Structures are given as structure tokens and as C-alpha cells.
Amino acid sequence: MLLHIPEVLTRDQVAGFRRKLEQADWTDGRETVGHLGAQVKRNEQLPEFSPLRRELGEAILTALAKHPLFFSAALPLKYLPPRFNRYAGGGTYGFHVDGAVMDLGQGEQLRSDVSCTLFLSDPEEYDGGELLVSDTYGEHEVKLPAGDLILYPSTSLHQVNPVTRGARLASFFWIQSMVRDDGRRRLLFELDSSIQALRRSGADQAAVLQLTGVYHNLLRQWAET
């Protein structure tokens, strides 16, 4: 499921992030990937142990915790703390698939089910830099307003097109979902969205209650915690 999550960060929050990132010390993005990824990756990232990365990452996770659309779509169990990257001067990241298992430290692992990119630059600030996600329905170009997030299955082949003008700033991170299978997550998301729409429309309460029970019983059956 490829889903646009609008307004994760406010415009004021984005501006605050940008002021801090403009003063940051960036490192070669190839430091965080393996041999194959390093062949196609040309960008900059905040260092892994940067206090700024931790500060801004915690702010993003706090904002996401208040966003019901995000929770409904991702059903998060664990997060890899958000990272931050910068593409400029032809920077790009060729087609790749994200690693299946990631190290959270202290012997804990995360299975990457859901990939997220939170845009911190507005589309008019740079040329190129589209996130290109390939799935069974074709290739989808994504270039969102600053503060908006795109969510997609970590199994997807994807790339970042070369940035030929300006700079593209973003945060990216991965989620281990309570529901491993993307098809099941999609069904639960569509069911939850329909229940919320029925509630807003004043539909029969008994029928809405019954559907809500179906949702939770499916989640109970499929969830891994």
C-alpha cells in the first residue's frame, strides 16, 4: 500500500527543523549501506550518533503518535529511529530494496515491513529528487509538500531521482508492523476507514459496532506482538 500522510509536521515545525539542519555537519550517506547499496547511493546523511538526529527523530515520532491516519495504515510495533538525508548537485539513490532485518542495538532487531519518507523541502525548492516506487501496478513518482509523509511496503523496489537544482531534505525510517503482510494491512486500513466514514455519516450504530468487532477480531487474529 502506497499512502500519502499529509501534515505530519506543521509549517512552523518544518521551519524549525530546517534551521537546525542548515547548521548540521553532514556525512557521506554510503556509510550506512552495504556494498551493493554504496554503488548506487550518492547523498549526505546526519551521522548515526548525532544528537540532532536523535532530537529531531523523537519530534517526528511524537507527531506520528498523534496522527490517526498514520497509525491506521502502519499499525506500528517498532520503529528504527528516523534518519535524515540531503540530496543536491546530482545526488541520487538508484533502484534498491531496503534490508529485511535492521539492528536496533543491544541485541534487538527490527523486521522492515513499512518504509517512510517525510519530506522537509517543498517541491518548488528543487528539481528532480522524486521518490520512484515500483510495484505490480507500475512506477509511482512521489514529491510531496514539506511536512507530508509517504508510506509504502519495504518490499518495494524504489529509487530517488537525481536532484539537479537546489537541495532535497527528508527524514526516512522503517517500521515493523503488528501485521506483517501488506495485503492484510491494506484490508484492515480500508475497513477502519470505512468504519470511520460510517460513524461520521450517522449510520446505524449497531451495524457500525458489528463492523468494529470484525476489525478488532481480524487484528487480533493477524497481529504479532
Side-chain angles (χ1 to χ4, degrees):
M1 177 171 58
L2 184 74
L3 186 66
H4 174 193
I5 310 288
E7 298 177 348
V8 170
L9 298 179
T10 67
R11 301 303 295 185
D12 286 345
Q13 286 176 309
V14 169
F17 275 47
R18 293 285 297 272
R19 284 193 296 269
K20 293 179 178 180
L21 290 171
E22 285 169 4
Q23 305 300 318
D25 293 323
W26 298 87
T27 59
D28 191 329
R30 288 174 290 185
E31 293 178 1
T32 59
V33 295
H35 174 70
L36 290 177
Q39 296 181 40
V40 295
K41 186 176 185 180
R42 296 292 182 272
N43 69 2
E44 297 175 303
Q45 289 183 199
L46 285 189
E48 285 295 286
F49 299 103
S50 162
L52 181 59
R53 178 200 168 194
R54 184 179 303 109
E55 174 194 343
L56 299 184
E58 288 175 354
I60 288 172
L61 295 183
T62 297
L64 288 172
K66 303 174 183 176
H67 208 299
L69 181 63
F70 172 82
F71 185 87
S72 177
L75 295 172
L77 178 63
K78 298 180 186 179
Y79 295 88
L80 188 80
R83 295 172 175 172
F84 297 83
N85 58 22
R86 181 180 186 272
Y87 290 84
T92 184
Y93 195 169
F95 272 120
H96 62 284
V97 174
D98 294 328
V101 179
M102 301 182 179
D103 185 16
L104 291 175
Q106 298 182 333
E108 188 177 4
Q109 306 294 320
L110 173 142
R111 183 189 66 240
S112 60
D113 297 322
V114 179
S115 299
C116 297
T117 296
L118 174 62
F119 288 79
L120 298 172
S121 299
D122 282 312
E124 62 271 17
E125 294 184 72
Y126 59 99
D127 292 336
E130 299 87 359
L131 173 66
L132 187 64
V133 180
S134 178
D135 61 20
T136 55
Y137 298 101
E139 295 183 346
H140 312 276
E141 284 192 351
V142 182
K143 191 172 183 178
L144 301 180
D148 288 13
L149 178 145
I150 191 70
L151 173 155
Y152 58 98
S154 297
T155 53
S156 303
L157 189 67
H158 59 284
Q159 73 172 17
V160 176
N161 290 337
V163 172
T164 58
R165 177 188 65 85
R168 174 195 190 268
L169 292 171
S171 175
F172 62 104
F173 54 98
W174 294 272
I175 297 165
Q176 179 171 326
S177 177
M178 290 184 284
V179 177
R180 178 195 300 242
D181 182 73
D182 180 60
R184 290 178 174 179
R185 283 198 308 275
R186 177 189 289 272
L187 286 174
L188 288 168
F189 174 70
E190 291 175 350
L191 180 56
D192 187 38
S193 299
S194 297
I195 290 169
Q196 299 307 319
L198 289 169
R199 283 177 174 163
R200 290 191 298 269
S201 71
D204 180 76
Q205 291 187 2
V208 172
L209 180 61
Q210 186 175 32
L211 282 176
T212 302
V214 171
Y215 172 87
H216 284 286
N217 286 330
L218 285 174
L219 180 57
R220 184 176 292 110
Q221 181 177 348
W222 292 339
E224 303 172 8
T225 60

